[in-house]
Amino acid sequence: MVQAFILVQTEVGKAGAVSDAIRGMTETVSVENVTGPYDVVAKVQAATLDELGRLVVARIQELSGITRTLTCPVVHF
């Protein structure tokens, strides 16, 4: 299982709708609205790195109101 934190910038006033949409995805572990350069931080999981990439590119980045994402995969030592 691959986990990652997705940092999301949204259009003004869209953070709530974006977090609700991400929260509804089965791969989502948690979603928080935050302040600073990003508006939403989501923790997600997928079976493989390829599936994680498809989740971010094909589903999360396609949501209305998102302007930019940064994906931070979790590394286990």
Side-chain angles (χ1 to χ4, degrees), residues 13 15-16 24-25 64 69 77:
M25 296 180 181
S64 176
T69 65
F77 290 97

Side-chain angles (χ1 to χ4, degrees), residues 10-68:
T10 68
E11 296 172 4
V12 174
K14 300 291 184 172
V18 167
S19 16
D20 287 345
I22 294 172
R23 193 173 285 112
M25 296 180 181
T26 59
E27 299 88 350
T28 301
V29 175
S30 64
V31 179
E32 301 293 339
N33 291 345
V34 297
T35 61
Y38 294 94
D39 304 300
V40 177
V41 176
K43 185 175 183 182
V44 298
Q45 60 186 14
T48 67
L49 193 56
D50 285 340
E51 286 184 22
L52 175 65
R54 283 191 290 275
L55 169 66
V56 173
V57 173
R59 295 183 50 212
I60 293 176
Q61 289 182 349
E62 293 296 317
L63 293 173
S64 176
I66 290 182
T67 58
R68 178 177 296 170

